[in-house]
Amino acid sequence: KRDSNAVLKSFCLVQLFTKENEMLAHSLYEKVANTISQANLSKLSRSQTDWLEEELSRLSAEKQGDIDEIGYDDILKAFNRAKSK
């Protein structure tokens, strides 16, 4: 299992969420860490990372915070779109 804390640090995502959403953020980025390798995540530029953060936040809102409703395919699609930005 990949270290989800490393993903959180590389994304600087903790800043996007308030305290009451911290567990949601951790769960989502743990799912990201289990879907996309740290090596691939670290290849994203800052603007690509920003775009991915926004997309994951949008997905979370769309699913009303239900992380189980965000599929691995959704995460991969968001990552691949971020790479193309």
Side-chain angles (χ1 to χ4, degrees):
K1 190 172 180 177
R2 294 182 191 98
D3 183 0
S4 62
N5 288 329
V7 173
L8 286 171
K9 288 177 186 174
S10 69
F11 273 140
C12 301
L13 289 171
V14 174
Q15 296 172 8
L16 293 178
F17 297 90
T18 59
K19 287 291 181 194
E20 58 268 13
N21 288 326
E22 198 167 303
M23 286 299 289
L24 174 65
H26 181 78
S27 297
L28 178 57
Y29 294 103
E30 184 172 306
K31 194 167 191 172
V32 171
N34 288 322
T35 306
I36 303 166
S37 73
Q38 179 63 33
N40 282 327
L41 288 169
S42 67
K43 291 178 185 176
L44 295 178
S45 70
R46 182 64 206 164
S47 63
Q48 289 171 322
T49 300
D50 290 344
W51 193 92
L52 181 57
E53 290 171 359
E54 291 172 18
E55 183 68 5
L56 292 172
S57 180
R58 186 194 64 73
L59 279 170
S60 177
E62 183 180 290
K63 305 296 183 180
Q64 299 177 339
D66 187 351
I67 302 305
D68 292 332
E69 290 294 314
I70 299 174
Y72 293 102
D73 287 342
D74 296 325
I75 294 169
L76 287 172
K77 285 178 191 174
F79 175 73
N80 287 326
R81 285 192 302 255
K83 285 193 321 184
S84 69
K85 296 291 176 189

